[in-house]
Amino acid sequence: MNIILIGFMGAGKTTLAEILNKKLKNFKHLEVDEIIRKKSSLKSINQIFKKKGEIGFRKLEIQAIKQISQNKKNQIISCGGGVVLNQINMLRLKRSGTVFYLYAPFAVIKKRLQGDDSRPLFKDINKAKALFGFRHPIYKFYSDQIINTHLGAAEKKAQKIIDKINL
Ligand code: S3P
């Protein structure tokens, strides 16, 4: 089955996916945002939001998730933070593997993303904080396991995920 990483922007999905990818030789890492960006032929997520709006971005996200979740084996899928907004996305993903919610408190995320302007929905800090509060229960609802990324070494978190899928 697949390993699916969900969670807010800056929660550590890409970092953990890369560690998992090194440890699990027979898995491949898919970054959903990168698949969407390539499909759009635009140069960044910011550009997609600018030219197509958030709705245009979400349409591409649905297409990407549909395609990726058809393969139910040996993929590490790091999703964009908003993937949980669409129930169909989550039904497709949950059918294809185990879902891990990568959690860190908002204060930690804020620090991690300081000076990073690549995320259109993290430009206004108050809005981002409200979004975090709104989404936290949704991430929890869809997850099979919660991984705290602000405590302890990332290597240990990766091992926890591997132990869970090997049960
Ligand atoms: C988004 C998160 C981003 C990206 C887009 C929208 C969101 O991905 O998909 O900017 O709605 O939370 P990351 O979570 O990888 O930053």
Side-chain angles (χ1 to χ4, degrees):
M1 294 294 275
N2 294 323
I3 296 172
I4 299 138
L5 306 182
I6 62 168
F8 205 66
M9 297 169 263
K13 292 163 289 181
T14 305
T15 306
L16 207 51
E18 281 166 0
I19 297 173
L20 286 166
N21 198 29
K22 278 192 195 129
K23 288 181 178 279
L24 300 167
K25 298 282 177 240
N26 53 339
F27 274 69
K28 70 173 177 187
H29 174 204
L30 300 179
E31 179 84 29
V32 179
D33 274 357
E34 188 49 23
I35 292 169
I36 295 170
R37 196 197 56 74
K38 278 194 184 136
K39 230 183 178 164
S40 75
S41 347
L42 292 165
K43 67 175 199 312
S44 66
I45 302 295
N46 270 328
Q47 281 285 317
I48 302 176
F49 268 66
K50 220 172 173 177
K51 294 240 160 87
K52 298 177 184 285
E54 180 170 351
I55 294 185
F57 173 81
R58 299 294 173 206
K59 280 187 186 158
L60 292 171
E61 191 173 44
I62 291 167
Q63 283 171 19
I65 296 291
K66 185 177 181 185
Q67 182 214 320
I68 292 167
S69 56
Q70 269 156 19
N71 179 3
K72 302 199 177 348
K73 253 187 13 210
N74 295 7
Q75 305 183 108
I76 303 156
I77 305 169
S78 40
C79 300
V83 73
V84 293
L85 299 176
N86 184 296
Q87 195 187 0
I88 309 260
N89 282 343
M90 293 315 295
L91 291 177
R92 285 182 171 140
L93 286 169
K94 281 189 80 69
R95 271 202 297 262
S96 85
T98 310
V99 177
F100 296 90
Y101 169 25
L102 272 50
Y103 169 82
F106 188 75
V108 173
I109 284 179
K110 190 174 142 191
K111 238 187 202 161
R112 285 184 189 159
L113 296 185
Q114 228 164 33
D116 179 338
D117 63 358
S118 66
R119 292 171 173 89
L121 299 181
F122 210 88
K123 298 207 191 289
D124 178 325
I125 203 74
N126 292 321
K127 280 189 187 159
K129 194 172 181 185
L131 200 58
F132 180 88
F134 167 71
R135 284 192 190 161
H136 176 64
I138 310 179
Y139 293 129
K140 274 212 296 205
F141 173 77
Y142 284 119
S143 70
D144 295 301
Q145 186 162 346
I146 301 176
I147 305 283
N148 291 314
T149 66
H150 57 300
L151 305 166
E155 284 284 331
K156 274 199 177 160
K157 315 289 162 187
Q159 198 50 53
K160 207 170 165 186
I161 291 175
I162 293 170
D163 292 346
K164 170 86 179 171
I165 59 158
N166 283 336
L167 279 180

